[in-house]
Amino acid sequence: MPGGWLGGHVPAPGYLAPVSPSLDLSAYRIVQEALTNVTKHAGTAQATVDITCDAEAVVIRVTDRGALHRNGHVLAPDHGDGTKAHHGIIGMRERAAMFGGSLTAGPRPDGGFEVRARLPLSAVTS
């Protein structure tokens, strides 16, 4: 990536729920780490960040169309059992879990990689 730039697309959300500063920061850090992983591992300078929110949860989805490998090895999906996770994914999962949420990460069927986090609003009190 020339100059360290990562191009992407962040669509404007249709609904914004009030969230606590702690959930807001965790959502930001999840997106930040997912984009860091794109620059380190995907071999592409393109990513899409989708953030949706309704009365129940904030859902974050970061996708790329990069390679399905890390250091020459094909990546297996990581659905939360911890057997395939690397440090960045573990940290994102811990942030989601603080709010009773979930995080999955793995190759997309049509190519590239996806990180998806769901942060329930019901667990947020401050």
Side-chain angles (χ1 to χ4, degrees):
M1 275 127 302
W5 289 97
L6 179 67
H9 174 69
V10 181
Y15 174 81
L16 293 176
V19 298
S20 71
S22 59
L23 188 136
D24 187 50
L25 179 59
S26 288
Y28 173 82
R29 294 293 187 200
I30 288 169
V31 170
Q32 181 182 41
E33 180 62 31
L35 292 175
T36 296
N37 287 346
V38 170
T39 63
K40 286 182 177 180
H41 307 298
T44 183
Q46 291 285 318
T48 299
V49 177
D50 290 308
I51 302 173
T52 58
C53 186
D54 59 28
E56 295 180 9
V58 174
V59 176
I60 300 164
R61 187 171 164 253
V62 179
T63 58
D64 67 60
R65 292 187 119 338
L68 295 177
H69 63 80
R70 176 188 172 123
N71 301 328
H73 303 317
V74 173
L75 289 173
D78 179 1
H79 296 293
D81 62 6
T83 60
K84 305 290 183 198
H86 298 280
H87 295 291
I89 292 173
I90 292 169
M92 290 186 288
R93 183 167 294 115
E94 288 172 351
R95 288 186 181 278
M98 288 189 315
F99 300 95
S102 61
L103 184 130
T104 58
R108 295 169 8 137
D110 59 342
F113 201 81
E114 175 179 85
V115 172
R116 185 181 185 280
R118 184 178 188 281
L119 308 174
L121 297 175
S122 60
V124 179
T125 58
S126 62

